[in-house]
Amino acid sequence: MADLTARESEVLRLMARGLFNPEIAGELFLGEATVKTHVNRIFAKLRVRDRVQAVVLAYEAGVVRPREPHH
């Protein structure tokens, strides 16, 4: 996780919230191709194959925490 840039960490947090690349692009005011590049770099740096593995690692590392349920 320490190898991720600030932007990659931000993209990972949004992935963990369940956002897809077009939604992440809109949230961060980036092009979809740029988001895809960030996602691929995240996969390479974390040595994972897909979004699920990346998100699991993020939770295990404490980078992402579950949201409190709404009452």
Side-chain angles (χ1 to χ4, degrees):
M1 292 292 163
D3 290 341
L4 298 182
T5 65
R7 181 62 91 181
E8 289 164 351
S9 295
E10 203 171 10
V11 169
L12 181 56
R13 281 192 286 280
L14 293 173
M15 286 170 43
R17 285 186 22 212
L19 274 63
F20 293 103
N21 289 0
E23 297 165 314
I24 294 169
E27 188 89 10
L28 299 178
F29 304 102
L30 299 172
E32 286 184 48
T34 302
V35 172
K36 188 172 183 175
T37 298
H38 287 310
V39 170
N40 287 329
R41 287 184 182 151
I42 291 166
F43 291 172
K45 288 179 178 183
L46 299 182
R47 297 186 179 121
V48 296
R49 287 186 306 260
D50 57 34
R51 294 171 96 85
V52 173
Q53 290 179 329
V55 170
V56 167
L57 273 181
Y59 274 99
E60 288 176 346
V63 173
V64 177
R65 283 185 258 148
R67 288 202 237 182
E68 292 296 318
H70 298 291
H71 294 295

